[in-house]
Amino acid sequence: RTATSAAAAADVAELADQIDKLHVKKDRAAARADGAVGAVGLIYSDVMELHEGPEHHLERPARHAYVVAKMKKDGLDKRCQSLLARLAEDSELLTCHSQQHIDEVESTFDVTLGPEQRVQGEGDIYWTEHTAMCARMAAGSACEAAAAVATGRVHRAMAVVR
């Protein structure tokens, strides 16, 4: 039990050092001393709407387009700090997925089937020629939003992805 406690204490100390190095704790405390809410980051891209499946499928581009249009109509986008959407790098994807999975997503769409097969898939899962790029854009944008918060560029962030 003592070895476990010592290991846990070492992990906590290492994490505290990392936070201090980023100055996140100090910057946030100073920025929020008056109780004001810090900047809110907002990230989205129309690229998310390229992944379009069967008409009957619940997951469709119109859902993303509606959220973005509603935010703009209500002026939410003007009240937020815009963050740039970006594609995830392999190194980021490899923190959650195997290289085999990444390779399969990149190569699943069969371009040799012709334009009549623009949507391919099995059951409730479908893919198109844009699936891999949209998945990378969603993951990269989520990483960018998290990094903006972790480094103190914004207080919190929202990524509109699919």
Side-chain angles (χ1 to χ4, degrees), residues 97-155:
H97 302 291
S98 68
Q99 185 64 54
Q100 178 184 354
H101 178 75
I102 295 168
D103 294 343
E104 287 174 3
V105 171
E106 295 285 345
S107 65
T108 298
F109 184 76
D110 187 350
V111 294
T112 65
L113 294 179
E116 66 279 354
Q117 290 293 319
R118 69 173 190 78
V119 177
Q120 302 166 13
E122 303 167 359
D124 193 39
I125 299 173
Y126 68 90
W127 51 90
T128 73
E129 64 182 307
H130 303 293
T131 299
M133 179 180 58
C134 292
R136 275 191 185 267
M137 184 67 74
S141 296
C143 288
E144 186 65 25
V149 173
T151 60
R153 284 188 288 151
V154 296
H155 182 203

Side-chain angles (χ1 to χ4, degrees), residues 68-87:
V68 171
K70 178 74 171 145
M71 286 186 321
K72 288 180 176 182
K73 179 182 177 216
D74 293 347
L76 181 61
D77 60 325
K78 302 279 190 261
R79 295 173 44 203
C80 295
Q81 181 176 326
S82 181
L83 302 173
L84 294 178
R86 67 171 178 83
L87 298 173

Side-chain angles (χ1 to χ4, degrees), residues 31-93:
R32 314 293 179 264
D34 64 355
V37 174
V40 177
L42 176 61
I43 190 166
Y44 61 90
S45 171
D46 293 344
V47 168
M48 301 295 161
E49 297 169 26
L50 295 176
H51 176 68
E52 185 172 1
E55 290 183 23
H56 69 277
H57 204 283
L58 292 175
E59 172 46 38
R60 53 182 163 260
R63 294 175 66 204
H64 180 271
Y66 177 83
V67 170
V68 171
K70 178 74 171 145
M71 286 186 321
K72 288 180 176 182
K73 179 182 177 216
D74 293 347
L76 181 61
D77 60 325
K78 302 279 190 261
R79 295 173 44 203
C80 295
Q81 181 176 326
S82 181
L83 302 173
L84 294 178
R86 67 171 178 83
L87 298 173
E89 297 183 22
D90 280 358
S91 61
E92 293 167 318
L93 296 175

